């Protein structure tokens, strides 16, 4: 059955899209409040299942008040990567058809990036995902990578296909490897 998007209104279309941006957004109050903001009908059990998938449940259970811990007024209680996982959890409770991840790993440590890469697999499973990234490690497993230069597509394919072409993506990947070796 073909869907004609002209038949949807703007609010209806927006409800089908989940967006996580580079800047971490933590809302006032507790962890549970941050999740219920996206879906007020979700149960505590469903929230725990999501945080287990994101490998953050144990950390939350070790906080003073678990899911009822005030993270807004205690900004240092979670790392930036862990806070980004809360943003991911919001998207998971929304269950949108399309997910846009905009530079979600750009300012994170290597460890936090690994946590988020695992979480990305969870939130994009069975969805249309658009992942915008400068860190090539963030997009290596994508089905289709589009390399843009000045707003124009210059290359397109999987990670392996683009590396085999030895074009611009290959150059970017080589610089990325070189930079990580220089920082060790």
């Amino acid at each position: 059955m073909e869907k004609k998007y002209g038949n949807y209104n703007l609010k209806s279309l927006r409800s089908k899209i989940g967006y996580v941006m580079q800047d971490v957004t933590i809302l006032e109050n507790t962890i549970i409040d941050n999740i219920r903001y996206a879906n007020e009908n979700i149960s505590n059990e469903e929230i725990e299942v999501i945080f287990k998938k994101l490998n953050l449940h144990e950390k939350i259970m070790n906080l003073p008040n678990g899911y009822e811990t005030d993270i807004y007024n205690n900004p240092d209680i979670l790392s930036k990567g862990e806070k980004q996982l809360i943003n991911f959890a919001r998207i998971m409770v929304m269950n949108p058809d399309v997910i846009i991840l905009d530079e979600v790993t750009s300012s994170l440590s290597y460890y936090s990036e690994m946590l988020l890469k695992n979480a990305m697999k969870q939130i994009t499973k069975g969805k249309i995902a658009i992942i915008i990234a400068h860190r090539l490690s963030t997009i290596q497993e994508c089905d289709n990578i589009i390399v843009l230069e000045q707003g124009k597509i210059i290359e397109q394919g999987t990670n392996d296909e683009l590396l085999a072409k030895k074009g611009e993506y290959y150059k970017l990947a080589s610089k990325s490897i070189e930079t990580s070796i220089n920082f060790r």
Side-chain angles (χ1 to χ4, degrees):
M1 181 171 94
E2 182 180 325
K3 292 182 180 180
K4 296 191 178 187
Y5 287 97
N7 296 337
Y8 292 92
N9 63 36
L10 189 56
K11 184 177 180 180
S12 170
L13 282 175
R14 284 186 178 154
S15 72
K16 306 272 186 222
I17 299 171
Y19 179 73
V20 180
M21 61 186 112
Q22 174 180 356
D23 296 325
V24 175
T25 304
I26 295 298
L27 307 173
E28 282 194 54
N29 225 332
T30 67
I31 294 169
I32 207 98
D33 293 330
N34 269 268
I35 303 310
R36 288 223 167 95
Y37 169 81
N39 179 349
E40 61 189 31
N41 298 316
I42 191 159
S43 71
N44 288 353
E45 293 78 23
E46 290 171 302
I47 291 171
E48 285 185 19
V49 167
I50 287 170
F51 277 100
K52 284 176 182 175
K53 287 181 181 177
L54 297 176
N55 295 316
L56 195 55
H57 175 73
E58 292 301 320
K59 167 80 181 217
I60 291 170
M61 294 311 294
N62 287 319
L63 294 175
N65 296 309
Y67 284 93
E68 295 294 335
T69 301
D70 179 349
I71 55 172
Y72 186 77
N73 293 308
N74 295 302
D76 297 330
I77 209 161
L78 296 173
S79 71
K80 190 170 185 180
E82 291 165 339
K83 290 176 186 173
Q84 190 66 289
L85 288 173
I86 291 174
N87 288 322
F88 279 37
R90 272 194 221 119
I91 296 300
M92 290 174 81
V93 301
M94 284 176 55
N95 196 23
D97 295 331
V98 177
I99 296 173
I100 301 171
L101 303 176
D102 189 358
E103 291 287 355
V104 294
T105 62
S106 66
S107 61
L108 300 179
S109 68
Y110 177 77
Y111 174 74
S112 292
E113 180 186 2
M114 292 302 107
L115 282 176
L116 284 186
K117 282 175 67 173
N118 290 330
M120 285 170 53
K121 290 177 186 174
Q122 290 294 324
I123 71 168
T124 59
K125 195 178 293 180
K127 310 283 183 191
I128 296 170
I130 301 167
I131 302 170
I132 303 160
H134 283 91
R135 281 190 185 178
L136 300 186
S137 58
T138 303
I139 59 169
Q140 285 176 329
E141 296 181 32
C142 291
D143 296 330
N144 188 27
I145 299 169
I146 298 171
V147 182
L148 299 172
E149 187 174 79
Q150 297 181 348
K152 294 189 183 341
I153 296 173
I154 59 169
E155 291 180 331
Q156 185 172 345
T158 66
N159 181 67
D160 292 342
E161 291 168 348
L162 292 171
L163 289 173
K165 285 183 185 178
K166 297 199 178 201
E168 193 59 35
Y169 184 84
Y170 177 83
K171 290 177 195 171
L172 292 169
S174 297
K175 284 181 189 175
S176 178
I177 291 168
E178 196 175 288
T179 301
S180 66
I181 290 170
N182 288 336
F183 281 113
R184 289 188 183 164

